[in-house]
Amino acid sequence: MHLLEEDQGRCVKADIISTVEFNPTGELLATGDKGGRVVVFQREQESKNQPHRRGEYNVYSTFQSHEPEFDYLKSLEIEEKINKIRWLPQQNAAYFLLSTNDKTVKLWKISERDKRPEGYNLKDEDGRIRDPTTITALRVPVLQPMDLMVEATPRRVFSNAHTYHINSISVSNDYETYMSTDDLRINLWNLEITNQSFNIVDIKPANMEELTEVITAAEFHPNQCNTFIYSSSKGSIRLCDMRASALCDNHSKFFEEPEDPSNRSFFSEIISSISDVKFSHSGRYLMTRDYLTVKVWDLNMESKPLETYQVHDYLRSKLCSLYENDCIFDKFECVWNGSDSVIMTGSYNNFFRMFDRNTKRDVTLEASRENSKPRAILKPRKVCVGGKRRKDEISVDSLDFSKKILHTAWHPSENIIAVAATNNLYIFQDKVN
């Protein structure tokens, strides 16, 4: 495992990582931060003399994706913070990714240049136009080798389609369209067309005083371009089929677990809000994350989840103070491993949790500076609730709620995970024997 970004004692707000995403091959890993920057890491190739270096990710490209803007009509500042990054499958030598802040989605092309043309006829080597009267001979320009340069160029800017903040983007498996989702609407875009999008879901009530729920996340089915899901702040998930109608206000499936009346409390509604929803790679299952649990749903069973995993059940008694310090509104993400057998999600105190769906075993690990020496083996952590505390346990009252792991990513085919802890990115990988 290794740590990628150093923290200089104090954390600058702009450096806080706000999204992490592997590309479809896992060779690249992108992070976005609150300062609008995207950093792309590339995996080291294996070399004969250093076989163990395979798997290390080094900075490949850094670019400013979004700038702060001002909406003069609404007198609102639009933050540059990157909310989500989604990669497109690689078609040629260049890489493409979509990044979004609250209002604008951009398509970026990341390409390499290691040759430059020299010997122009009409301009000097430094680019100045030559006086035509001094040109006496015709030259054939040639390509000369140069140091490798990685360039990021914005190819498309998709803007002015959202009244509310964009919380997610998802690329369809036809790779021609993608959707962007805000609190009340979902728009469908063609990747080639920036000046129009198609509204496919609109839950805005005629009278905003009647508003009872908002959309929290949405995702396309991994292998059916007509199907997508979206989750709501009321803890429900709707599966929609674009073949049924152009405006998918009527869902074709509705997943919701009725609340246990014995657990009902003032906070029930807040903690049931779904912060992330993900299809499994196979497309058979759904995973949803709410404040205290991760649930796995079978697409063929709407009545109740197939599996429910407690992420940090020990916080149930602390909801009051978590409400007062606003932590109860934290939006944790969840991810599947490549074979859909293990799921991972974050918690507080820089802890993250892994649940093995086959063995039903779970583990709590910590991403921290103390155990971030290269090739260090992570020790499982335990939180104790009340009573006597064993020496290797940490008590609930000493958890640090300012250290939280909201964003994680799993390599598409290998046991390599990326974990964002505030402004540090940790990469852990399975021990190679």
Side-chain angles (χ1 to χ4, degrees):
M1 109 2 93
H2 53 293
L3 170 67
L4 281 178
E5 284 175 17
E6 285 306 307
D7 132 348
Q8 306 300 330
R10 63 188 186 82
C11 167
V12 189
K13 181 173 181 273
D15 294 339
I16 295 175
I17 298 173
S18 51
T19 182
V20 190
E21 190 77 13
F22 279 101
N23 79 331
T25 61
E27 289 302 303
L28 299 179
L29 169 67
T31 64
D33 65 24
K34 287 196 171 177
R37 286 182 305 265
V38 172
V39 182
V40 180
F41 300 92
Q42 185 181 41
R43 197 173 180 190
E44 281 286 316
Q45 293 307 311
E46 203 158 340
S47 63
K48 291 266 192 312
N49 47 2
Q50 288 179 309
H52 67 274
R53 277 186 64 89
R54 170 79 173 141
E56 293 210 355
Y57 283 80
N58 293 317
V59 175
Y60 177 63
S61 173
T62 304
F63 57 93
Q64 188 71 29
S65 174
H66 288 69
E67 301 281 354
E69 290 172 66
F70 192 77
D71 182 333
Y72 292 97
L73 281 175
K74 299 199 173 87
S75 293
L76 281 179
E77 278 185 57
I78 301 168
E79 281 188 49
E80 64 273 43
K81 171 186 169 230
I82 307 291
N83 292 343
K84 282 284 184 289
I85 289 172
R86 288 288 178 264
W87 290 90
L88 293 167
Q90 195 177 356
Q91 312 279 359
N92 52 25
Y95 300 97
F96 288 87
L97 63 82
L98 289 167
S99 65
T100 184
N101 67 349
D102 285 340
K103 296 287 179 188
T104 305
V105 184
K106 294 185 181 181
L107 174 69
W108 288 88
K109 176 186 182 179
I110 301 167
S111 52
E112 296 184 356
R113 247 208 358 231
D114 59 355
K115 293 186 178 62
R116 64 162 178 263
E118 279 182 7
Y120 287 111
N121 290 289
L122 300 177
K123 51 187 183 186
D124 289 333
E125 299 313 332
D126 52 6
R128 280 191 303 240
I129 301 289
R130 290 167 62 186
D131 178 3
T133 56
T134 64
I135 300 172
T136 55
L138 194 63
R139 295 191 289 181
V140 178
V142 288
L143 287 171
Q144 296 288 5
M146 60 177 244
D147 290 342
L148 178 69
M149 249 178 68
V150 180
E151 297 176 310
T153 45
R155 295 307 298 269
R156 310 255 189 289
V157 177
F158 306 88
S159 53
N160 304 325
H162 285 277
T163 313
Y164 308 98
H165 291 347
I166 298 173
N167 56 43
S168 52
I169 48 178
S170 178
V171 182
S172 159
N173 81 322
D174 60 11
Y175 307 133
E176 290 175 11
T177 54
Y178 76 91
M179 62 182 177
S180 55
T181 308
D182 68 27
D183 295 333
L184 298 179
R185 297 191 179 106
I186 302 178
N187 291 334
L188 183 69
W189 300 82
N190 185 305
L191 281 160
E192 301 293 323
I193 301 167
T194 58
N195 59 359
Q196 60 178 353
S197 63
F198 194 81
N199 181 224
I200 50 174
V201 171
D202 186 347
I203 65 164
K204 185 182 179 193
N207 176 4
M208 280 295 268
E209 286 174 9
E210 293 164 11
L211 183 67
T212 57
E213 67 179 323
V214 293
I215 302 171
T216 54
E219 192 182 55
F220 268 117
H221 191 283
N223 39 43
Q224 298 167 8
C225 58
N226 54 287
T227 312
F228 66 93
I229 42 168
Y230 68 91
S231 57
S232 88
S233 56
K234 275 194 160 176
S236 59
I237 309 107
R238 290 170 175 84
L239 180 94
C240 301
D241 186 341
M242 288 191 283
R243 295 171 304 187
S245 70
L247 191 61
C248 301
D249 285 354
N250 296 322
H251 48 267
S252 47
K253 288 193 176 186
F254 181 79
F255 303 85
E256 188 176 42
E257 185 171 32
E259 195 200 353
D260 177 1
S262 63
N263 276 340
R264 180 102 192 120
S265 76
F266 170 72
F267 305 108
S268 294
E269 205 157 294
I270 304 172
I271 63 173
S272 66
S273 174
I274 293 174
S275 54
D276 196 16
V277 58
K278 293 261 173 46
F279 272 108
S280 63
H281 295 79
S282 67
R284 170 74 192 268
Y285 303 102
L286 286 178
M287 168 166 54
T288 59
R289 172 75 155 95
D290 56 40
Y291 192 64
L292 294 176
T293 67
V294 171
K295 294 177 178 147
V296 174
W297 303 76
D298 187 324
L299 278 193
N300 300 330
M301 184 169 80
E302 298 167 62
S303 55
K304 61 176 198 287
L306 205 58
E307 300 151 24
T308 300
Y309 300 98
Q310 300 296 335
V311 178
H312 35 217
D313 204 41
Y314 46 78
L315 296 183
R316 221 174 260 283
S317 59
K318 295 253 174 287
L319 293 177
C320 202
S321 53
L322 290 163
Y323 179 73
E324 282 164 8
N325 65 15
D326 272 354
C327 282
I328 201 165
F329 301 107
D330 285 335
K331 293 177 168 47
F332 290 96
E333 294 170 8
C334 52
V335 287
W336 301 88
N337 72 339
S339 60
D340 300 333
S341 60
V342 184
I343 53 187
M344 169 172 65
T345 190
S347 178
Y348 294 102
N349 209 60
N350 278 357
F351 288 169
F352 57 99
R353 305 268 284 134
M354 287 182 166
F355 303 96
D356 188 312
R357 297 179 56 212
N358 300 326
T359 64
K360 298 294 181 239
R361 287 218 300 264
D362 64 275
V363 64
T364 303
L365 299 169
E366 182 183 5
S368 73
R369 301 301 296 271
E370 287 70 60
N371 56 20
S372 67
K373 294 176 186 61
R375 315 224 181 293
I377 291 177
L378 290 182
K379 289 200 294 289
R381 304 299 308 260
K382 280 202 169 56
V383 177
C384 84
V385 190
K388 286 224 298 268
R389 183 167 70 92
R390 290 206 199 88
K391 73 173 190 333
D392 58 342
E393 292 184 335
I394 178 166
S395 96
V396 177
D397 298 319
S398 57
L399 293 174
D400 185 343
F401 291 108
S402 66
K403 293 180 173 169
K404 50 192 97 168
I405 289 180
L406 302 175
H407 316 287
T408 57
W410 204 307
H411 188 289
S413 55
E414 294 179 45
N415 273 339
I416 299 176
I417 58 171
V419 175
T422 321
N423 59 330
N424 291 322
L425 179 69
Y426 295 86
I427 294 195
F428 302 104
Q429 62 178 3
D430 229 357
K431 194 168 88 234
V432 182
N433 297 328

